[in-house]
Amino acid sequence: MVKITPNYLEMKAGDLPASKAFYEQAFGFAFTDYGPEYAAVEGGPVQIGIAAGSEPVAPMPTFETDDLETSLSQVKAANGEIVREIFAFPGGRRFECLDPAGNRLAIYQPD
């Protein structure tokens, strides 16, 4: 069987500038703009693209952090909406939030 690994995640945003600002402030991402309707974070093991629009509904991306409480503070400071406060799960702890486009995200810290 051929090995298939994730390397790109694309999300939609009704307000692309607001979504970019959220990810820049909350996670320190740096975007490359590809015209007025697309921006991407490149160079990591998984690259992220944000496209103008609202369809299709995107899956929930999960981001790993080494400091969950600081990450929660950063997301709140970037006006992210917390939809589930920090909770424990097998293997670590996490919280869930919405970005300005309504994409649901999970940020976790492994045990």
Side-chain angles (χ1 to χ4, degrees):
M1 176 170 291
V2 174
K3 183 177 180 181
I4 299 172
T5 58
N7 71 349
Y8 203 88
L9 176 64
E10 185 172 278
M11 299 180 289
K12 296 293 184 175
D15 183 341
L16 185 58
S19 291
K20 284 176 49 182
F22 171 80
Y23 286 98
E24 289 166 350
Q25 291 176 359
F27 301 132
F29 288 172
F31 285 91
T32 300
D33 291 324
Y34 292 96
E37 297 187 356
Y38 201 88
V41 176
E42 302 168 319
V46 176
Q47 298 179 47
I48 298 169
I50 301 178
S54 59
E55 295 293 329
V57 176
M60 182 172 67
T62 303
F63 300 89
E64 182 177 344
T65 182
D66 58 0
D67 187 336
L68 194 61
E69 286 72 20
T70 298
S71 296
L72 178 64
S73 295
Q74 288 175 192
V75 167
K76 287 180 177 179
N79 295 318
E81 180 183 342
I82 306 304
V83 295
R84 192 158 181 204
E85 291 287 339
I86 294 173
F87 65 96
F89 68 95
R93 298 179 309 132
R94 77 185 211 185
F95 67 90
E96 296 174 9
C97 63
L98 300 178
D99 73 5
N103 293 301
R104 190 169 184 139
L105 314 171
I107 295 86
Y108 81 99
Q109 181 174 1
D111 286 339

